[in-house]
Amino acid sequence: MAPDDTPRPLDPLAASWNSEHSPPPIDLEELRATADARRYRTRLVMAGEGILTAGLVGLSATFLVQGGPASAANRAWLLVAWLTWVAVTGFATWNRRGVARAKAESTRSYVALLEERARRRVRGAAFVLGAVAVMALAAGVLGYLGTASGTLLGLYGGWAIWYGVRARQDVDEMRRVRSDLGGET
Amino acid sequence: MSDRIRTDDLFRRVMADYAAGLWRLTAGYARTRADREDLYQDILLAVWKALQTFRRESSLRTFVYRIGHNCGITHRRTRTRRPTRVPLDGLASTSPSPESEVMADTLRADLVAAIRALPNGQRQVVMLHLEGLPPREIGSVLGITANNASVRLHRARTAIRDRIQTRPGQGE
């Protein structure tokens, strides 16, 4: 029963609705264990980002030990790759923050927030795809698009496409939900 | 008092006062008992996490029902991406019921079906109304004005009444 004094409406439907008053019991420790299991998915995503970062570190080490006339161009290419990656992982981490608190906002605000987050993810994916295209072009022009760098660029590009497609689906879904919720009139 | 103890105490208060209402809310967003339990667990998890940053900008009831309905509207979207959940205890009784209980269950089933057939904007308003929330608080939960909540409630009640009355042998 609600703790405040608001009288329940004299509504014949309310009696029928409230006839179901026994929810499944829940144990707080079991809930904590489920929360830990849910974090598995987040850890998978972060592991994927870790693998891509490790690949970039390995490629950096390879380029840095190389000498010769192309070394300055290699370093410039690496700098762009690192700056892009730092920007992307920083953005992804920032965009994940506050989701738990956001669920306590009003429904209208929450749906608007989810839609905006999804739009940001679409823009983020487009930025990564653009950066991958520029780096692939530069590597091709500079003449060192080898197996390692090509594979890494392929992985980045594939991840950006997957990420962008899911984000676009979320934008479309939230737009439908917002439309279904109706306006102020 | 540590933050964890405070959160756990608040959570126990939520369970004592609002668990039944949150369970009933799941009927508006999920069809099968398994889906309802899934959503119910999502809601309780979200409430527990959000309580850690609850600063009493709203009443606890408004806070809890906001989370419940926000989880409900995104439930369908996230259902297929979730890992296998830990099952809840407490299955419904399967013992035979007297005829009056069967009729009451049928009426409730008709009501729930009618509520689920409503668009989201009306569905949420009517479920909050049936839980005893006044229009101003319904507006606070959903982010609409109290007047808008009243208008939507009127439309929802008409739609529900029409749907239930068109079923053979049914009425208010």
Side-chain angles (χ1 to χ4, degrees):
Chain A
M1 188 162 180
D4 64 14
D5 295 329
T6 306
R8 290 194 175 269
L10 296 177
D11 192 323
L13 297 177
S16 184
W17 176 257
N18 289 299
S19 64
E20 187 181 39
H21 48 73
S22 298
I26 190 72
D27 177 72
L28 189 53
E29 289 310 313
E30 204 172 275
L31 206 62
R32 274 193 246 274
T34 306
D36 289 340
R38 295 272 177 93
R39 286 190 203 107
Y40 172 72
R41 179 175 173 266
T42 304
R43 285 198 284 266
L44 265 184
V45 172
M46 292 175 73
E49 292 168 3
I51 288 170
L52 290 175
T53 304
L56 192 56
V57 169
L59 197 61
S60 302
T62 305
F63 280 5
L64 287 173
V65 299
Q66 288 174 343
S71 61
N74 288 354
R75 289 192 182 95
W77 191 91
L78 268 179
L79 183 63
V80 170
W82 270 109
L83 286 174
T84 304
W85 189 239
V86 166
V88 165
T89 49
F91 162 78
T93 303
W94 168 76
N95 207 30
R96 279 187 207 123
R97 286 172 59 86
V99 172
R101 182 170 168 78
K103 281 188 177 162
E105 300 294 323
S106 70
T107 301
R108 180 175 298 280
S109 297
Y110 180 62
V111 171
L113 190 67
L114 288 185
E115 187 176 341
E116 177 55 28
R117 283 175 187 267
R119 288 184 191 282
R120 283 190 215 134
R121 281 159 41 213
V122 170
R123 290 194 288 267
F127 171 74
V128 171
L129 271 178
V132 165
V134 167
M135 286 192 287
L137 186 64
V141 166
L142 292 169
Y144 60 77
L145 189 62
T147 305
S149 52
T151 301
L152 197 61
L153 287 177
L155 282 175
Y156 284 169
W159 173 84
I161 291 171
W162 169 80
Y163 189 76
V165 166
R166 275 181 51 140
R168 172 50 63 184
Q169 288 172 345
D170 288 347
V171 169
D172 293 341
E173 175 69 18
M174 284 302 105
R175 196 183 291 151
R176 275 193 296 273
V177 170
R178 189 161 49 85
S179 171
D180 196 35
L181 287 173
E184 277 298 324
T185 55
Chain B
M1 182 182 288
S2 73
D3 285 344
R4 177 164 160 156
I5 293 173
R6 174 185 170 273
T7 301
D8 287 356
D9 285 348
L10 269 175
F11 185 75
R12 288 189 188 95
R13 184 181 153 194
V14 165
M15 291 304 292
D17 294 340
Y18 306 116
L22 291 175
W23 174 243
R24 287 189 290 266
L25 179 163
T26 63
Y29 294 105
R31 293 184 182 274
T32 65
R33 180 159 178 111
D35 271 350
R36 287 185 67 186
E37 290 180 354
D38 217 15
L39 175 56
Y40 183 61
Q41 191 168 63
D42 283 351
I43 292 171
L44 296 184
L45 267 170
V47 166
W48 179 56
K49 285 181 189 173
L51 279 174
Q52 294 166 26
T53 55
F54 179 55
R55 297 288 177 262
R56 304 186 190 279
E57 296 99 344
S58 64
S59 70
L60 189 58
R61 182 166 74 171
T62 298
F63 178 86
V64 166
Y65 278 118
R66 277 177 179 171
I67 293 171
H69 281 281
N70 288 340
C71 288
I73 60 174
T74 56
H75 173 66
R76 200 178 312 161
R77 181 174 73 100
T78 59
R79 191 172 55 193
T80 56
R81 299 180 190 171
R82 190 171 305 114
T84 308
R85 64 173 178 85
V86 177
L88 295 171
D89 297 324
L91 299 176
S93 167
T94 54
S95 58
S97 306
E99 185 177 344
S100 60
E101 287 186 20
V102 171
M103 287 180 63
D105 286 347
T106 302
L107 180 58
R108 189 173 191 285
D110 288 344
L111 172 60
V112 170
I115 289 174
R116 273 207 288 262
L118 296 170
N120 268 325
Q122 293 178 17
R123 187 192 315 173
Q124 293 177 322
V125 168
V126 77
M127 284 198 285
L128 289 167
H129 166 75
L130 291 172
E131 292 299 330
L133 274 71
R136 183 185 298 275
E137 193 171 357
I138 293 173
S140 179
V141 170
L142 302 180
I144 59 177
T145 62
N147 186 57
N148 193 358
S150 297
V151 169
R152 292 188 190 189
L153 180 59
H154 174 75
R155 290 175 184 162
R157 287 169 60 95
T158 302
I160 290 171
R161 194 165 43 236
D162 289 346
R163 186 180 167 107
I164 291 178
Q165 282 180 339
T166 56
R167 287 177 157 266
Q170 294 294 337
E172 282 196 27

